Amino acid sequence: MITMDDIIRDGHPTLRKVAEEVEMPPSDEDKQILKSLLEYVINSQDTEVCSRYGLRPGIGLAAPQINVSKRMIAVHLTDEKGVLYSYALFNPKIISHSVEKAYLESGEGCLSVDEVIPGYVPRYARITVKGTNLDGEAVKLRLKGYPAICFQHEIDHLNGIMFYDHIDKTNPFRRIEGAIVINR
């Protein structure tokens, strides 16, 4: 089971590397790593498990965050309509996106970043992601709003990008022209 001790923190060199593609079919070890990423985000949303193991709640986790520089992410969240998005993907890739932007009004956080970094993080409002699930099946997801933001955050980790890299350094709360504001 992954705990906070397994999650590397901001400044660790692995977080700035471009992660390697996972060879298909994935090895048993890669499958186990991906399962454990999903298990962490699910466990971290259970208050009892959180307090027992000292977990910080999260909705997504990428393999580089546990010092494994491979293209694997797990996401577990519900959108504003209560629809559950629970995915563990090998080699996820954004294959298309909207011109329109969106951002979380509350800003973004990260399990690898201990301090709060205020500011708006511009993202695409809608994306299409392709990847491979734990059963080796090709998955194609059309995402918008909160789920789209989460997937972009996790895929950024695979490319050595941190959420705060997107924040306007001179004016972190500058309104993003024409963007959809998402309240979570």
Side-chain angles (χ1 to χ4, degrees):
M1 178 179 147
I2 293 173
T3 66
M4 288 306 295
D5 292 339
D6 300 304
I7 296 174
I8 60 175
R9 300 307 203 280
D10 202 9
H12 192 291
T14 301
L15 292 172
R16 290 299 187 174
K17 281 186 187 168
V18 173
E20 302 282 322
E21 287 274 317
V22 177
E23 269 188 53
M24 293 290 126
S27 68
D28 289 343
E29 181 187 9
D30 285 341
K31 284 183 187 175
Q32 190 50 53
I33 290 167
L34 187 53
K35 277 182 197 161
S36 67
L37 293 174
L38 185 59
E39 182 183 77
Y40 177 92
V41 285
I42 292 169
N43 285 339
S44 80
Q45 294 175 35
D46 179 319
T47 48
E48 189 185 306
V49 175
C50 267
S51 62
R52 187 175 329 135
Y53 295 103
L55 307 181
R56 270 180 44 203
I59 57 169
L61 190 61
Q65 292 179 269
I66 59 164
N67 204 19
V68 175
S69 193
K70 290 187 174 184
R71 301 185 81 80
M72 298 184 245
I73 66 167
V75 169
H76 186 80
L77 63 93
T78 52
D79 69 9
E80 58 284 346
K81 293 179 182 147
V83 175
L84 176 66
Y85 291 80
S86 189
Y87 291 95
L89 296 176
F90 294 108
N91 304 323
K93 186 179 193 149
I94 296 170
I95 58 165
S96 68
H97 61 77
S98 62
V99 172
E100 188 176 32
K101 299 282 188 172
Y103 63 92
L104 288 178
E105 186 155 53
S106 60
E108 292 183 24
C110 180
L111 292 167
S112 291
V113 179
D114 291 329
E115 70 274 14
V116 173
I117 299 179
Y120 298 141
V121 181
R123 302 280 188 190
Y124 299 116
R126 292 173 305 284
I127 60 171
T128 302
V129 173
K130 266 187 167 175
T132 304
N133 70 14
L134 280 160
D135 296 324
E137 299 161 343
V139 175
K140 184 176 177 181
L141 304 169
R142 294 175 59 95
L143 305 161
K144 65 179 185 174
Y146 192 51
I149 285 174
C150 179
F151 272 83
Q152 287 171 82
H153 178 115
E154 298 312 324
I155 290 170
D156 269 358
H157 276 302
L158 305 180
N159 296 314
I161 299 166
M162 301 295 282
F163 75 92
Y164 54 76
D165 296 341
H166 297 289
I167 296 172
D168 182 331
K169 307 294 177 266
T170 57
N171 186 1
F173 291 102
R174 180 180 57 80
R175 291 271 171 210
I176 299 157
E177 207 56 43
I180 297 168
V181 181
I182 297 167
N183 297 302
R184 278 307 277 208

